[in-house]
PDB file of all heavy atoms in Angstrom:
ATOM      1  N   ARG A   1      96.710  76.203 102.682  1.00 94.00           N
ATOM      2  CA  ARG A   1      96.517  76.899 103.959  1.00 94.00           C
ATOM      3  C   ARG A   1      96.715  78.395 103.723  1.00 94.00           C
ATOM      4  O   ARG A   1      97.616  78.800 102.994  1.00 94.00           O
ATOM      5  CB  ARG A   1      97.512  76.403 105.013  1.00 94.00           C
ATOM      6  CG  ARG A   1      97.363  77.078 106.379  1.00 94.00           C
ATOM      7  CD  ARG A   1      98.322  76.510 107.410  1.00 94.00           C
ATOM      8  NE  ARG A   1      97.928  75.177 107.839  1.00 94.00           N
ATOM      9  CZ  ARG A   1      97.111  74.955 108.869  1.00 94.00           C
ATOM     10  NH1 ARG A   1      96.597  75.966 109.541  1.00 94.00           N
ATOM     11  NH2 ARG A   1      96.813  73.726 109.198  1.00 94.00           N
ATOM     12  N   VAL A   2      95.875  79.214 104.341  1.00 96.00           N
ATOM     13  CA  VAL A   2      96.012  80.665 104.254  1.00 96.00           C
ATOM     14  C   VAL A   2      96.320  81.201 105.649  1.00 96.00           C
ATOM     15  O   VAL A   2      95.975  80.585 106.661  1.00 96.00           O
ATOM     16  CB  VAL A   2      94.740  81.328 103.696  1.00 96.00           C
ATOM     17  CG1 VAL A   2      94.520  80.913 102.252  1.00 96.00           C
ATOM     18  CG2 VAL A   2      93.524  80.992 104.543  1.00 96.00           C
ATOM     19  N   PHE A   3      96.979  82.343 105.706  1.00 96.00           N
ATOM     20  CA  PHE A   3      97.349  82.911 106.998  1.00 96.00           C
ATOM     21  C   PHE A   3      97.411  84.425 106.927  1.00 96.00           C
ATOM     22  O   PHE A   3      97.494  85.027 105.847  1.00 96.00           O
ATOM     23  CB  PHE A   3      98.704  82.368 107.464  1.00 96.00           C
ATOM     24  CG  PHE A   3      99.870  82.827 106.629  1.00 96.00           C
ATOM     25  CD1 PHE A   3     100.541  84.008 106.917  1.00 96.00           C
ATOM     26  CD2 PHE A   3     100.302  82.078 105.536  1.00 96.00           C
ATOM     27  CE1 PHE A   3     101.616  84.431 106.151  1.00 96.00           C
ATOM     28  CE2 PHE A   3     101.380  82.495 104.768  1.00 96.00           C
ATOM     29  CZ  PHE A   3     102.034  83.692 105.069  1.00 96.00           C
ATOM     30  N   GLY A   4      97.373  85.039 108.084  1.00 97.00           N
ATOM     31  CA  GLY A   4      97.552  86.475 108.202  1.00 97.00           C
ATOM     32  C   GLY A   4      98.213  86.784 109.533  1.00 97.00           C
ATOM     33  O   GLY A   4      98.130  85.991 110.478  1.00 97.00           O
ATOM     34  N   PHE A   5      98.887  87.928 109.610  1.00 96.00           N
ATOM     35  CA  PHE A   5      99.526  88.308 110.867  1.00 96.00           C
ATOM     36  C   PHE A   5      99.512  89.824 111.025  1.00 96.00           C
ATOM     37  O   PHE A   5      99.399  90.580 110.046  1.00 96.00           O
ATOM     38  CB  PHE A   5     100.970  87.789 110.940  1.00 96.00           C
ATOM     39  CG  PHE A   5     101.941  88.545 110.068  1.00 96.00           C
ATOM     40  CD1 PHE A   5     102.644  89.637 110.570  1.00 96.00           C
ATOM     41  CD2 PHE A   5     102.169  88.164 108.760  1.00 96.00           C
ATOM     42  CE1 PHE A   5     103.536  90.341 109.774  1.00 96.00           C
ATOM     43  CE2 PHE A   5     103.065  88.850 107.953  1.00 96.00           C
ATOM     44  CZ  PHE A   5     103.750  89.952 108.464  1.00 96.00           C
ATOM     45  N   ALA A   6      99.618  90.278 112.272  1.00 97.00           N
ATOM     46  CA  ALA A   6      99.770  91.690 112.594  1.00 97.00           C
ATOM     47  C   ALA A   6     100.737  91.789 113.767  1.00 97.00           C
ATOM     48  O   ALA A   6     100.740  90.924 114.649  1.00 97.00           O
ATOM     49  CB  ALA A   6      98.432  92.325 112.948  1.00 97.00           C
ATOM     50  N   ARG A   7     101.562  92.844 113.776  1.00 97.00           N
ATOM     51  CA  ARG A   7     102.560  93.011 114.828  1.00 97.00           C
ATOM     52  C   ARG A   7     102.689  94.494 115.163  1.00 97.00           C
ATOM     53  O   ARG A   7     102.771  95.335 114.266  1.00 97.00           O
ATOM     54  CB  ARG A   7     103.900  92.456 114.368  1.00 97.00           C
ATOM     55  CG  ARG A   7     104.974  92.395 115.460  1.00 97.00           C
ATOM     56  CD  ARG A   7     106.269  91.813 114.921  1.00 97.00           C
ATOM     57  NE  ARG A   7     106.906  92.738 113.996  1.00 97.00           N
ATOM     58  CZ  ARG A   7     107.715  92.370 113.012  1.00 97.00           C
ATOM     59  NH1 ARG A   7     107.967  91.093 112.807  1.00 97.00           N
ATOM     60  NH2 ARG A   7     108.263  93.271 112.221  1.00 97.00           N
ATOM     61  N   TYR A   8     102.689  94.774 116.464  1.00 98.00           N
ATOM     62  CA  TYR A   8     102.872  96.144 116.942  1.00 98.00           C
ATOM     63  C   TYR A   8     104.199  96.229 117.674  1.00 98.00           C
ATOM     64  O   TYR A   8     104.455  95.467 118.611  1.00 98.00           O
ATOM     65  CB  TYR A   8     101.726  96.534 117.880  1.00 98.00           C
ATOM     66  CG  TYR A   8     101.948  97.845 118.601  1.00 98.00           C
ATOM     67  CD1 TYR A   8     101.768  99.061 117.948  1.00 98.00           C
ATOM     68  CD2 TYR A   8     102.338  97.865 119.940  1.00 98.00           C
ATOM     69  CE1 TYR A   8     101.974 100.259 118.600  1.00 98.00           C
ATOM     70  CE2 TYR A   8     102.545  99.065 120.607  1.00 98.00           C
ATOM     71  CZ  TYR A   8     102.357 100.262 119.926  1.00 98.00           C
ATOM     72  OH  TYR A   8     102.557 101.448 120.578  1.00 98.00           O
ATOM     73  N   ASP A   9     105.066  97.165 117.249  1.00 97.00           N
ATOM     74  CA  ASP A   9     106.352  97.402 117.892  1.00 97.00           C
ATOM     75  C   ASP A   9     106.334  98.772 118.556  1.00 97.00           C
ATOM     76  O   ASP A   9     105.936  99.764 117.929  1.00 97.00           O
ATOM     77  CB  ASP A   9     107.491  97.355 116.874  1.00 97.00           C
ATOM     78  CG  ASP A   9     107.680  95.977 116.270  1.00 97.00           C
ATOM     79  OD1 ASP A   9     107.346  94.986 116.935  1.00 97.00           O
ATOM     80  OD2 ASP A   9     108.155  95.891 115.114  1.00 97.00           O
ATOM     81  N   ASN A  10     106.778  98.836 119.808  1.00 97.00           N
ATOM     82  CA  ASN A  10     106.847 100.090 120.535  1.00 97.00           C
ATOM     83  C   ASN A  10     108.305 100.435 120.813  1.00 97.00           C
ATOM     84  O   ASN A  10     109.050  99.622 121.362  1.00 97.00           O
ATOM     85  CB  ASN A  10     106.052  99.991 121.843  1.00 97.00           C
ATOM     86  CG  ASN A  10     105.965 101.333 122.545  1.00 97.00           C
ATOM     87  OD1 ASN A  10     106.919 101.786 123.156  1.00 97.00           O
ATOM     88  ND2 ASN A  10     104.796 101.962 122.455  1.00 97.00           N
ATOM     89  N   TYR A  11     108.722 101.666 120.429  1.00 96.00           N
ATOM     90  CA  TYR A  11     110.112 102.084 120.567  1.00 96.00           C
ATOM     91  C   TYR A  11     110.301 103.158 121.639  1.00 96.00           C
ATOM     92  O   TYR A  11     111.381 103.745 121.744  1.00 96.00           O
ATOM     93  CB  TYR A  11     110.634 102.632 119.233  1.00 96.00           C
ATOM     94  CG  TYR A  11     110.223 101.858 118.019  1.00 96.00           C
ATOM     95  CD1 TYR A  11     109.452 102.445 117.009  1.00 96.00           C
ATOM     96  CD2 TYR A  11     110.591 100.527 117.857  1.00 96.00           C
ATOM     97  CE1 TYR A  11     109.073 101.738 115.887  1.00 96.00           C
ATOM     98  CE2 TYR A  11     110.221  99.814 116.730  1.00 96.00           C
ATOM     99  CZ  TYR A  11     109.448 100.427 115.742  1.00 96.00           C
ATOM    100  OH  TYR A  11     109.068  99.717 114.636  1.00 96.00           O
ATOM    101  N   THR A  12     109.250 103.431 122.425  1.00 94.00           N
ATOM    102  CA  THR A  12     109.281 104.555 123.363  1.00 94.00           C
ATOM    103  C   THR A  12     110.475 104.491 124.303  1.00 94.00           C
ATOM    104  O   THR A  12     111.110 105.508 124.593  1.00 94.00           O
ATOM    105  CB  THR A  12     107.980 104.603 124.179  1.00 94.00           C
ATOM    106  OG1 THR A  12     106.864 104.659 123.283  1.00 94.00           O
ATOM    107  CG2 THR A  12     107.955 105.815 125.090  1.00 94.00           C
ATOM    108  N   HIS A  13     110.781 103.289 124.793  1.00 95.00           N
ATOM    109  CA  HIS A  13     111.860 103.140 125.768  1.00 95.00           C
ATOM    110  C   HIS A  13     113.138 102.587 125.135  1.00 95.00           C
ATOM    111  O   HIS A  13     114.000 102.070 125.846  1.00 95.00           O
ATOM    112  CB  HIS A  13     111.397 102.235 126.907  1.00 95.00           C
ATOM    113  CG  HIS A  13     110.173 102.747 127.602  1.00 95.00           C
ATOM    114  ND1 HIS A  13     110.189 103.880 128.384  1.00 95.00           N
ATOM    115  CD2 HIS A  13     108.892 102.296 127.612  1.00 95.00           C
ATOM    116  CE1 HIS A  13     108.968 104.107 128.867  1.00 95.00           C
ATOM    117  NE2 HIS A  13     108.173 103.165 128.409  1.00 95.00           N
ATOM    118  N   ALA A  14     113.260 102.717 123.827  1.00 97.00           N
ATOM    119  CA  ALA A  14     114.446 102.212 123.145  1.00 97.00           C
ATOM    120  C   ALA A  14     115.691 102.975 123.585  1.00 97.00           C
ATOM    121  O   ALA A  14     115.650 104.185 123.848  1.00 97.00           O
ATOM    122  CB  ALA A  14     114.274 102.324 121.629  1.00 97.00           C
ATOM    123  N   ALA A  15     116.798 102.283 123.659  1.00 97.00           N
ATOM    124  CA  ALA A  15     118.043 102.872 124.147  1.00 97.00           C
ATOM    125  C   ALA A  15     118.538 104.005 123.258  1.00 97.00           C
ATOM    126  O   ALA A  15     119.231 104.916 123.737  1.00 97.00           O
ATOM    127  CB  ALA A  15     119.111 101.788 124.267  1.00 97.00           C
ATOM    128  N   ASN A  16     118.191 103.969 121.969  1.00 97.00           N
ATOM    129  CA  ASN A  16     118.701 104.971 121.035  1.00 97.00           C
ATOM    130  C   ASN A  16     117.586 105.808 120.408  1.00 97.00           C
ATOM    131  O   ASN A  16     117.676 106.230 119.250  1.00 97.00           O
ATOM    132  CB  ASN A  16     119.522 104.277 119.944  1.00 97.00           C
ATOM    133  CG  ASN A  16     120.791 103.654 120.488  1.00 97.00           C
ATOM    134  OD1 ASN A  16     121.785 104.327 120.739  1.00 97.00           O
ATOM    135  ND2 ASN A  16     120.745 102.342 120.709  1.00 97.00           N
ATOM    136  N   SER A  17     116.552 106.073 121.197  1.00 95.00           N
ATOM    137  CA  SER A  17     115.423 106.853 120.681  1.00 95.00           C
ATOM    138  C   SER A  17     115.801 108.304 120.383  1.00 95.00           C
ATOM    139  O   SER A  17     115.046 109.019 119.721  1.00 95.00           O
ATOM    140  CB  SER A  17     114.256 106.818 121.670  1.00 95.00           C
ATOM    141  OG  SER A  17     114.658 107.338 122.927  1.00 95.00           O
ATOM    142  N   GLU A  18     116.978 108.766 120.855  1.00 96.00           N
ATOM    143  CA  GLU A  18     117.431 110.129 120.565  1.00 96.00           C
ATOM    144  C   GLU A  18     118.165 110.220 119.221  1.00 96.00           C
ATOM    145  O   GLU A  18     118.530 111.319 118.796  1.00 96.00           O
ATOM    146  CB  GLU A  18     118.362 110.622 121.682  1.00 96.00           C
ATOM    147  CG  GLU A  18     117.704 110.705 123.048  1.00 96.00           C
ATOM    148  CD  GLU A  18     116.509 111.641 123.048  1.00 96.00           C
ATOM    149  OE1 GLU A  18     116.623 112.730 122.440  1.00 96.00           O
ATOM    150  OE2 GLU A  18     115.475 111.286 123.634  1.00 96.00           O
ATOM    151  N   SER A  19     118.372 109.094 118.549  1.00 97.00           N
ATOM    152  CA  SER A  19     119.028 109.135 117.251  1.00 97.00           C
ATOM    153  C   SER A  19     118.180 109.928 116.257  1.00 97.00           C
ATOM    154  O   SER A  19     116.947 109.804 116.233  1.00 97.00           O
ATOM    155  CB  SER A  19     119.233 107.704 116.725  1.00 97.00           C
ATOM    156  OG  SER A  19     119.615 107.731 115.361  1.00 97.00           O
ATOM    157  N   PRO A  20     118.809 110.755 115.396  1.00 97.00           N
ATOM    158  CA  PRO A  20     118.031 111.470 114.378  1.00 97.00           C
ATOM    159  C   PRO A  20     117.389 110.538 113.352  1.00 97.00           C
ATOM    160  O   PRO A  20     116.528 110.973 112.590  1.00 97.00           O
ATOM    161  CB  PRO A  20     119.083 112.379 113.718  1.00 97.00           C
ATOM    162  CG  PRO A  20     120.393 111.737 114.005  1.00 97.00           C
ATOM    163  CD  PRO A  20     120.245 111.078 115.346  1.00 97.00           C
ATOM    164  N   LEU A  21     117.793 109.273 113.342  1.00 97.00           N
ATOM    165  CA  LEU A  21     117.165 108.308 112.432  1.00 97.00           C
ATOM    166  C   LEU A  21     115.872 107.748 113.006  1.00 97.00           C
ATOM    167  O   LEU A  21     115.121 107.081 112.300  1.00 97.00           O
ATOM    168  CB  LEU A  21     118.145 107.170 112.130  1.00 97.00           C
ATOM    169  CG  LEU A  21     119.471 107.606 111.499  1.00 97.00           C
ATOM    170  CD1 LEU A  21     120.368 106.406 111.262  1.00 97.00           C
ATOM    171  CD2 LEU A  21     119.233 108.368 110.206  1.00 97.00           C
ATOM    172  N   PHE A  22     115.623 107.996 114.305  1.00 95.00           N
ATOM    173  CA  PHE A  22     114.365 107.596 114.920  1.00 95.00           C
ATOM    174  C   PHE A  22     113.302 108.625 114.557  1.00 95.00           C
ATOM    175  O   PHE A  22     113.403 109.798 114.920  1.00 95.00           O
ATOM    176  CB  PHE A  22     114.511 107.532 116.443  1.00 95.00           C
ATOM    177  CG  PHE A  22     114.426 106.145 116.997  1.00 95.00           C
ATOM    178  CD1 PHE A  22     115.568 105.487 117.424  1.00 95.00           C
ATOM    179  CD2 PHE A  22     113.216 105.492 117.108  1.00 95.00           C
ATOM    180  CE1 PHE A  22     115.501 104.204 117.939  1.00 95.00           C
ATOM    181  CE2 PHE A  22     113.133 104.223 117.623  1.00 95.00           C
ATOM    182  CZ  PHE A  22     114.284 103.567 118.037  1.00 95.00           C
ATOM    183  N   ARG A  23     112.249 108.210 113.864  1.00 94.00           N
ATOM    184  CA  ARG A  23     111.205 109.126 113.434  1.00 94.00           C
ATOM    185  C   ARG A  23     109.826 108.757 113.994  1.00 94.00           C
ATOM    186  O   ARG A  23     108.908 109.562 113.925  1.00 94.00           O
ATOM    187  CB  ARG A  23     111.140 109.160 111.906  1.00 94.00           C
ATOM    188  CG  ARG A  23     112.449 109.631 111.247  1.00 94.00           C
ATOM    189  CD  ARG A  23     112.767 111.059 111.632  1.00 94.00           C
ATOM    190  NE  ARG A  23     114.002 111.549 111.018  1.00 94.00           N
ATOM    191  CZ  ARG A  23     114.049 112.184 109.849  1.00 94.00           C
ATOM    192  NH1 ARG A  23     112.938 112.381 109.146  1.00 94.00           N
ATOM    193  NH2 ARG A  23     115.210 112.613 109.371  1.00 94.00           N
ATOM    194  N   ARG A  24     109.680 107.543 114.524  1.00 94.00           N
ATOM    195  CA  ARG A  24     108.388 107.099 115.052  1.00 94.00           C
ATOM    196  C   ARG A  24     108.594 106.418 116.394  1.00 94.00           C
ATOM    197  O   ARG A  24     109.628 105.780 116.628  1.00 94.00           O
ATOM    198  CB  ARG A  24     107.722 106.096 114.103  1.00 94.00           C
ATOM    199  CG  ARG A  24     107.445 106.628 112.705  1.00 94.00           C
ATOM    200  CD  ARG A  24     106.163 107.399 112.656  1.00 94.00           C
ATOM    201  NE  ARG A  24     105.823 107.784 111.288  1.00 94.00           N
ATOM    202  CZ  ARG A  24     104.776 108.521 110.951  1.00 94.00           C
ATOM    203  NH1 ARG A  24     103.951 108.936 111.905  1.00 94.00           N
ATOM    204  NH2 ARG A  24     104.549 108.839 109.699  1.00 94.00           N
ATOM    205  N   ASN A  25     107.604 106.544 117.285  1.00 95.00           N
ATOM    206  CA  ASN A  25     107.655 105.857 118.575  1.00 95.00           C
ATOM    207  C   ASN A  25     107.033 104.467 118.521  1.00 95.00           C
ATOM    208  O   ASN A  25     107.090 103.719 119.496  1.00 95.00           O
ATOM    209  CB  ASN A  25     106.950 106.679 119.657  1.00 95.00           C
ATOM    210  CG  ASN A  25     107.761 107.903 120.058  1.00 95.00           C
ATOM    211  OD1 ASN A  25     108.990 107.863 120.046  1.00 95.00           O
ATOM    212  ND2 ASN A  25     107.071 108.986 120.382  1.00 95.00           N
ATOM    213  N   SER A  26     106.413 104.123 117.394  1.00 96.00           N
ATOM    214  CA  SER A  26     105.804 102.800 117.250  1.00 96.00           C
ATOM    215  C   SER A  26     105.686 102.469 115.777  1.00 96.00           C
ATOM    216  O   SER A  26     105.797 103.348 114.915  1.00 96.00           O
ATOM    217  CB  SER A  26     104.417 102.746 117.926  1.00 96.00           C
ATOM    218  OG  SER A  26     103.529 103.665 117.295  1.00 96.00           O
ATOM    219  N   GLY A  27     105.460 101.211 115.502  1.00 95.00           N
ATOM    220  CA  GLY A  27     105.298 100.777 114.121  1.00 95.00           C
ATOM    221  C   GLY A  27     104.423  99.547 114.034  1.00 95.00           C
ATOM    222  O   GLY A  27     104.410  98.712 114.938  1.00 95.00           O
ATOM    223  N   MET A  28     103.684  99.438 112.940  1.00 96.00           N
ATOM    224  CA  MET A  28     102.805  98.289 112.693  1.00 96.00           C
ATOM    225  C   MET A  28     103.294  97.527 111.471  1.00 96.00           C
ATOM    226  O   MET A  28     103.703  98.125 110.473  1.00 96.00           O
ATOM    227  CB  MET A  28     101.365  98.734 112.459  1.00 96.00           C
ATOM    228  CG  MET A  28     100.617  99.141 113.701  1.00 96.00           C
ATOM    229  SD  MET A  28     100.223  97.756 114.793  1.00 96.00           S
ATOM    230  CE  MET A  28      99.247  96.692 113.724  1.00 96.00           C
ATOM    231  N   SER A  29     103.245  96.207 111.573  1.00 95.00           N
ATOM    232  CA  SER A  29     103.525  95.333 110.436  1.00 95.00           C
ATOM    233  C   SER A  29     102.336  94.400 110.251  1.00 95.00           C
ATOM    234  O   SER A  29     101.720  93.986 111.232  1.00 95.00           O
ATOM    235  CB  SER A  29     104.788  94.497 110.676  1.00 95.00           C
ATOM    236  OG  SER A  29     105.911  95.317 110.919  1.00 95.00           O
ATOM    237  N   PHE A  30     102.020  94.085 109.014  1.00 95.00           N
ATOM    238  CA  PHE A  30     100.925  93.154 108.763  1.00 95.00           C
ATOM    239  C   PHE A  30     101.129  92.497 107.405  1.00 95.00           C
ATOM    240  O   PHE A  30     101.835  93.015 106.534  1.00 95.00           O
ATOM    241  CB  PHE A  30      99.564  93.872 108.825  1.00 95.00           C
ATOM    242  CG  PHE A  30      99.495  95.147 108.045  1.00 95.00           C
ATOM    243  CD1 PHE A  30      99.180  95.148 106.701  1.00 95.00           C
ATOM    244  CD2 PHE A  30      99.768  96.360 108.657  1.00 95.00           C
ATOM    245  CE1 PHE A  30      99.118  96.324 105.978  1.00 95.00           C
ATOM    246  CE2 PHE A  30      99.716  97.551 107.946  1.00 95.00           C
ATOM    247  CZ  PHE A  30      99.385  97.537 106.598  1.00 95.00           C
ATOM    248  N   GLY A  31     100.506  91.338 107.247  1.00 95.00           N
ATOM    249  CA  GLY A  31     100.644  90.625 105.991  1.00 95.00           C
ATOM    250  C   GLY A  31      99.675  89.475 105.874  1.00 95.00           C
ATOM    251  O   GLY A  31      99.040  89.066 106.862  1.00 95.00           O
TER     252      GLY A  31
END
């Protein structure tokens, strides 16, 4: 069996978006 996936994460309303470690408002994962 073969498979693939994609995932979009949005951090715009994250509770700690003011952290200096936050560098992106969104992220994509795929495999």
